[in-house]
């Protein structure tokens, strides 16, 4: 039996985003897999950049070859928009088989219910954004700016442009009928020799509790259901529409004082101490102290939650090189709830299944989740990745404005996780911005690492 050489190429996007080409080669043929392709910022030069990448892919795999398998892990721009930026180039490159997660299956009743629920909440959030955008002055500006900081502005556009379009494009472009994958599926590479490379699907989980839980520690986990979020958003909207909604005030109405209203004796705040308090309260100088609309900042929390929820819908694939048993793990942006569910995956083939401990122990390549953020790699599972050859690729670029120019920068990669990854891989980490990281003991196998203007690449010999 001939052994397989695997090349894992991470394209350098110069911002946050995933774009991977994985090639499995034996003596007779190559098999090319693309996993995600997207840009966070979708700037004017994005089409040019992605067309260049597709051109490079075509040169790499050969002029007459097309992509054998294309995977899009979840519906975020930074994983999918590239398929639209270079749509024509991808069409002429050709895709044999496209796979998406069960959540993208428009005929799956559970997927439909979740999509509807999500859609409703998103619409409400869009409404709120519309209302806040029309409001002027101190607090509205604060909410506006923090909303736009926390959530990709494009999320609010009703055409939900690039990601939605990319999903539709991928559903129709493959030469074979699209496949939707669920946890527990074990399949050979579609169209490749049997029993050479198997794909084990770990996530996204089918149970909604795991799907909605994104925080790593029990204490921090977000148990609020989308349903509750939806009610809470209604409440916020009511206050915005009507000006007041008694049920949202912490104190009984009779204790309430209005700075510009007269009391029942027609005196404007006869009581001296109240006067003083209000004078100070409405003084521009002390604007920062005002709490009138503080509760509105929870809109940001909802928005963040929804964003994290989408990350949690990531399709998680473990590629098993059958001969050697080595495993390559691609987790998209899966968050804690998705990771936790891997313990209880209902494997559909008893002869081919691996338990989690075994699978993680055989993992020699880890595509780090969510650009290295703190809640997209959980400790108990990372602890199981004990292979001496472990290598990690992090699709992170510190020049991304989310990291370099926010008031509160996104911590990517998160400090403690990064430290642990360095230890576990003995420094064999590559990033989009730094290539091979500098670390005292990093000893990549000779000839296994390649850096190019457009990508970094790691070669595994089985
Ligand atoms: Zn991402």
């Amino acid at each position: 039996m001939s052994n397989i050489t695997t090349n894992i190429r991470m394209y350098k996007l110069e911002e946050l985003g995933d774009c991977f080409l994985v090639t499995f080669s034996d003596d007779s043929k190559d098999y090319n897999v693309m996993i995600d392709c997207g840009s966070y910022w979708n700037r004017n030069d994005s089409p040019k950049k992605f067309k260049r990448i597709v051109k490079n892919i075509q040169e790499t795999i050969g002029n007459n070859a097309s992509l054998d398998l294309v995977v899009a892990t979840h519906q975020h721009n930074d994983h999918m928009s590239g398929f639209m930026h270079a749509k024509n180039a991808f069409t002429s490159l050709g895709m044999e088989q496209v796979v998406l997660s069960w959540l993208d299956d428009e005929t799956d009743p559970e997927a439909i219910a979740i999509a509807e629920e999500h859609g409703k909440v998103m619409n409400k959030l869009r409404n709120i954004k519309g209302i806040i955008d029309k409001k002027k002055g101190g607090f509205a500006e604060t909410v506006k700016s923090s909303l736009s900081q926390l959530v990709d502005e494009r999320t609010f556009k009703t055409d939900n442009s690039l990601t939605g379009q990319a999903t539709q494009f991928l559903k129709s472009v493959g030469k074979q009928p699209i496949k939707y994958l669920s946890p527990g599926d074990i399949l050979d590479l579609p169209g490749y020799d049997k029993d050479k490379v198997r794909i084990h699907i770990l996530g996204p989980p089918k149970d909604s509790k795991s799907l909605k839980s994104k925080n790593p520690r029990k204490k921090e986990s977000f148990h609020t259901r989308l349903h509750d979020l939806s009610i809470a958003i209604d409440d916020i909207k009511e206050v915005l529409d009507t000006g007041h909604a008694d049920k949202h005030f912490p104190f009984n109405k009779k204790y309430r004082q209005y700075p510009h209203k007269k009391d029942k004796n027609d005196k404007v705040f006869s009581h001296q101490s109240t006067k003083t308090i209000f004078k100070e309260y409405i003084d521009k100088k002390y604007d920062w102290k005002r709490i009138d609309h503080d509760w509105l900042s929870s809109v940001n929390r909802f928005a963040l939650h929804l964003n994290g929820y989408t990350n949690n819908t990531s399709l998680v694939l473990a590629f098993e090189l059958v001969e050697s048993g080595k495993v390559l793990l691609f987790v998209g942006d899966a968050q804690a709830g998705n990771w936790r569910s891997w313990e209880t995956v209902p494997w559909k083939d008893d002869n081919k299944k691996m338990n989690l401990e075994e699978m993680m122990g055989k993992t020699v390549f880890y595509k780090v989740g969510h650009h290295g953020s703190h809640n997209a790699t959980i400790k108990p599972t990372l602890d199981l990745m004990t292979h001496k050859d472990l290598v990690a690729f992090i699709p992170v670029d510190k020049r991304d404005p989310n990291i370099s120019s926010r008031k509160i920068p996104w911590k990517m990669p998160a400090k403690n996780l990064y430290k642990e990854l360095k230890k576990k891989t003995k420094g064999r980490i590559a990033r989009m911005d730094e290539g091979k990281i500098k670390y005292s003991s990093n000893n990549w196998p000779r000839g296994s690492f390649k850096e190019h203007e457009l990508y970094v690449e790691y070669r595994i010999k089985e």
Side-chain angles (χ1 to χ4, degrees):
M1 208 171 174
S2 59
N3 287 347
I4 288 182
T5 301
T6 308
N7 278 300
I8 303 160
R9 178 178 295 187
M10 173 166 73
Y11 280 98
K12 295 195 269 192
L13 303 172
E14 299 164 310
E15 60 170 316
L16 290 177
D18 276 27
C19 186
F20 285 83
L21 176 71
V22 183
T23 305
F24 300 100
S25 321
D26 62 11
D27 298 339
S28 56
K29 56 177 170 279
D30 291 349
Y31 187 94
N32 299 295
V33 184
M34 176 121 209
I35 304 170
D36 287 340
C37 184
S39 152
Y40 184 92
W41 293 98
N42 302 297
R43 299 185 179 101
N44 291 338
D45 64 347
S46 294
K48 197 173 140 205
K49 190 188 289 174
F50 284 101
K51 280 177 205 160
R52 215 176 145 209
I53 288 174
V54 179
K55 188 166 173 265
N56 178 269
I57 293 172
Q58 187 80 75
E59 284 162 9
T60 306
I61 69 178
N63 269 336
N64 298 316
S66 50
L67 291 167
D68 295 287
L69 180 65
V70 174
V71 184
T73 59
H74 65 293
Q75 294 204 8
H76 267 161
N77 274 339
D78 64 320
H79 295 252
M80 289 183 77
S81 67
F83 293 114
M84 288 317 288
H85 289 308
K87 188 182 174 188
N88 293 338
F90 270 113
T91 306
S92 56
L93 175 64
M95 301 178 187
E96 194 62 33
Q97 175 76 62
V98 176
V99 296
L100 297 171
S101 96
W102 65 273
L103 279 160
D104 293 313
D105 182 356
E106 283 161 48
T107 64
D108 182 314
E110 286 172 80
I112 295 168
I114 288 172
E116 277 174 1
E117 210 183 347
H118 191 246
K120 274 186 209 156
V121 177
M122 281 313 294
N123 276 336
K124 284 177 181 168
L125 208 51
R126 274 186 208 111
N127 280 339
I128 296 223
K129 178 87 165 41
I131 295 165
I132 292 173
D133 278 349
K134 277 182 223 132
K135 290 199 182 291
K136 294 220 156 47
F139 188 74
E141 297 306 323
T142 314
V143 174
K144 261 186 243 176
S145 83
S146 58
L147 250 187
S148 63
Q149 263 187 35
L150 287 166
V151 180
D152 182 350
E153 280 285 340
R154 285 159 290 252
T155 309
F156 291 109
K157 284 194 182 155
T158 36
D159 60 8
N160 195 11
S161 51
L162 291 168
T163 311
Q165 289 169 30
T167 309
Q168 290 315 316
F169 169 56
L170 289 176
K171 283 183 179 184
S172 61
V173 68
K175 287 176 199 139
Q176 305 298 326
I178 186 154
K179 277 189 209 290
Y180 297 104
L181 302 176
S182 304
D185 286 337
I186 302 174
L187 57 155
D188 288 298
L189 287 179
Y192 200 56
D193 298 341
K194 290 219 171 310
D195 297 325
K196 290 233 165 170
V197 181
R198 274 181 208 140
I199 310 173
H200 301 249
I201 302 301
L202 290 152
K206 280 254 168 176
D207 79 291
S208 61
K209 205 176 156 204
S210 307
L211 208 53
K212 288 166 187 169
S213 155
K214 62 189 184 73
N215 289 318
R217 284 188 299 255
K218 241 185 187 161
K219 269 199 293 191
E220 292 174 346
S221 85
F222 200 108
H223 291 295
T224 315
R225 306 171 125 258
L226 281 175
H227 176 66
D228 301 332
L229 275 179
S230 165
I231 292 171
I233 289 178
D234 275 343
D235 289 348
I236 291 171
K237 205 166 163 300
E238 185 190 332
V239 179
L240 286 166
D241 287 345
T242 61
H244 298 290
D246 278 346
K247 63 178 173 181
H248 305 291
F249 283 91
F251 309 113
N252 192 294
K253 205 173 180 176
K254 68 178 173 191
Y255 298 114
R256 207 181 300 157
Q257 298 272 14
Y258 295 96
H260 306 297
K261 277 185 185 162
K262 294 176 179 179
D263 67 13
K264 60 177 184 283
N265 301 319
D266 215 24
K267 285 186 185 160
V268 181
F269 301 125
S270 52
H271 200 279
Q272 190 55 40
S273 65
T274 317
K275 253 190 196 167
T276 318
I277 290 167
F278 270 119
K279 203 172 160 241
E280 193 175 314
Y281 189 68
I282 59 176
D283 191 329
K284 274 241 166 326
K285 202 164 60 181
Y286 298 109
D287 213 24
W288 59 274
K289 281 186 181 176
R290 297 186 64 162
I291 55 165
D292 314 29
H293 296 95
D294 242 20
W295 50 270
L296 253 184
S297 60
S298 42
V299 172
N300 295 334
R301 207 155 48 86
F302 300 141
L304 253 192
H305 176 70
L306 285 172
N307 234 5
Y309 165 79
T310 304
N311 286 330
N312 223 6
T313 64
S314 289
L315 184 63
V316 179
L317 312 100
F319 293 89
E320 178 196 5
L321 305 169
V322 178
E323 176 85 1
S324 62
K326 289 176 182 171
V327 168
L328 326 169
L329 182 64
F330 287 83
V331 303
D333 284 350
Q335 315 258 302
N338 192 325
W339 281 71
R340 227 180 277 125
S341 73
W342 304 348
E343 289 261 27
T344 52
V345 170
W347 293 112
K348 289 166 193 164
D349 187 332
D350 274 344
N351 297 319
K352 294 175 182 170
K353 73 172 183 190
M354 280 185 270
N355 67 37
L356 189 62
E357 196 176 344
E358 191 186 352
M359 189 184 282
M360 294 303 130
K362 288 178 171 179
T363 297
V364 295
F365 177 88
Y366 170 40
K367 193 298 289 187
V368 178
H370 198 214
H371 322 282
S373 79
H374 77 288
N375 56 357
T377 302
I378 63 170
K379 191 175 180 300
T381 314
L382 184 64
D383 284 347
L384 300 175
M385 293 187 211
T386 49
H387 202 290
K388 64 175 180 37
D389 298 334
L390 183 66
V391 162
F393 271 30
I394 313 177
V396 72
D397 193 309
K398 60 185 169 229
R399 291 163 293 186
D400 187 290
N402 289 314
I403 299 167
S404 63
S405 30
R406 279 187 192 279
K407 269 189 216 148
I408 306 167
W410 288 1
K411 293 185 180 70
M412 290 171 168
K415 203 174 147 203
N416 290 344
L417 168 66
Y418 198 39
K419 222 164 98 184
E420 186 63 20
L421 283 169
K422 281 177 181 167
K423 225 169 30 187
K424 294 203 86 97
T425 60
K426 304 178 195 80
R428 288 185 304 262
I429 292 177
R431 313 169 30 145
M432 295 193 292
D433 50 4
E434 295 176 6
K436 271 198 280 193
I437 66 155
K438 289 182 185 70
Y439 192 72
S440 52
S441 69
N442 73 22
N443 44 346
W444 298 72
R446 183 190 287 266
S448 67
F449 188 86
K450 185 170 148 189
E451 183 152 11
H452 179 271
E453 188 199 343
L454 280 177
Y455 57 80
V456 290
E457 187 172 88
Y458 175 56
R459 169 173 298 201
I460 299 166
K461 290 206 183 244
E462 197 174 11

